[in-house]
Amino acid sequence: MVRKPTSKETARKPNMREAILAAAEELFATNGFNAVSVRDIAQAAGANPGSVTYHFKTKDGLLLEIYRRHCGPMNLRRSELLAAARRVRDLQDRLEAIVRAYVVPAFTSGSDLAGGGARFTRLRAVMSAEGNEVARKIIAQTFDDTSHAFIDAIHESLPHIPRTDIVWRSHFLLGALYYSLVTPDRVSRLSRGEADGSDAATAIEQLVQATVAAFQAPALDQVVPARRRTPASSKT
């Protein structure tokens, strides 16, 4: 039987729930969901396993709460910015506003919570790569409605591009967003210090402009594939 925390324990550690959330987020982001146990989370939080199950029932419930805390404010802000972007008349300006509405909250919303946006973005990348069914369901539950809204809005701005192409390109945007938030030092290193990868404002502008150009590229069925060079034709 799982022991519930006593009133003395609750009084002694009023922020235990927050400590458990922070510990779980860090462990999931570092080690993945499958490799982390409730006992690991409790130990990192300075709690007992009963405290984890008391507050969150299961490890699945803990992961769901982490997503809700970060993504609720971010999705709300994205929806607000998207509504404003869809009112822009010029299609080029509207497309840029839509992309910006998606990108900006990822750099800003997470800073309102412990750990900021980078740690949670790393967690999201790990969860997506791990292929865990629980994580897949939570990700779909958290993001699919918002993602469909953005894809539809982009398609309205680019009606000549098939929606499937837009889905692919939005998928690439998500990968670029993950990488920009998690490894900004790579930009600094490869630019030999001429660019600061941790400069959020510049990162946003670079990502928005590159993504707009990608969305505006010809549809895949409109691109004439380059002829493959055969061994015979490559001879001089």
Side-chain angles (χ1 to χ4, degrees):
M1 180 177 178
V2 175
R3 185 181 71 84
K4 294 183 178 181
T6 66
S7 58
K8 287 184 178 180
E9 288 173 330
T10 304
R12 188 165 57 249
K13 294 184 177 181
N15 295 319
M16 181 55 69
R17 190 174 189 276
E18 298 299 318
I20 292 169
L21 280 168
E25 185 176 328
E26 180 62 36
L27 288 172
F28 290 156
T30 304
N31 303 311
F33 184 78
N34 295 330
V36 176
S37 68
V38 168
R39 187 172 296 277
D40 293 332
I41 296 167
Q43 183 176 5
N48 61 68
S51 296
V52 178
T53 53
Y54 172 75
H55 286 292
F56 303 102
K57 307 299 183 187
T58 64
K59 191 172 73 165
D60 299 1
L62 183 50
L63 181 63
L64 177 59
E65 181 60 21
I66 290 171
Y67 268 81
R68 281 176 175 167
R69 282 164 57 86
H70 283 280
C71 301
M74 182 169 66
N75 284 339
L76 178 60
R77 185 58 181 151
R78 277 177 169 166
S79 296
E80 293 170 347
L81 292 174
L82 178 60
R86 294 180 96 156
R87 293 194 292 269
V88 176
R89 295 190 176 220
D90 182 83
L91 290 182
Q92 171 72 23
D93 292 343
R94 184 193 303 170
L95 177 61
E96 182 172 327
I98 291 169
V99 173
R100 194 179 302 278
Y102 186 84
V103 169
V104 169
F107 281 85
T108 57
S109 296
S111 62
D112 297 331
L113 298 172
R119 183 173 70 183
F120 178 63
T121 302
R122 186 169 70 249
L123 182 151
R124 288 175 60 191
V126 170
M127 293 299 104
S128 296
E130 195 172 47
N132 179 275
E133 184 60 28
V134 171
R136 272 200 297 266
K137 289 180 179 178
I138 290 174
I139 291 168
Q141 178 182 339
T142 305
F143 289 109
D144 277 8
D145 288 346
T146 304
S147 296
H148 278 299
F150 272 90
I151 290 167
D152 290 342
I154 293 167
H155 194 208
E156 290 169 6
S157 300
L158 298 168
H160 59 288
I161 303 294
R163 192 177 187 278
T164 51
D165 285 26
I166 293 172
V167 170
W168 274 110
R169 295 169 192 186
S170 68
H171 190 61
F172 302 149
L173 165 59
L174 185 59
L177 186 58
Y178 281 160
Y179 212 65
S180 297
L181 285 164
V182 174
T183 59
D185 55 297
R186 187 173 186 272
V187 172
S188 303
R189 186 178 72 253
L190 293 182
S191 68
R192 298 193 174 110
E194 293 184 11
D196 180 5
S198 62
D199 181 349
T202 299
I204 289 169
E205 291 307 313
Q206 290 282 6
L207 189 52
V208 167
Q209 296 306 318
T211 302
V212 167
F215 277 127
Q216 291 177 321
L220 189 61
D221 61 4
Q222 297 172 357
V223 176
V224 179
R227 293 180 179 177
R228 294 182 180 178
R229 297 183 64 184
T230 63
S233 64
S234 63
K235 294 179 180 179
T236 57

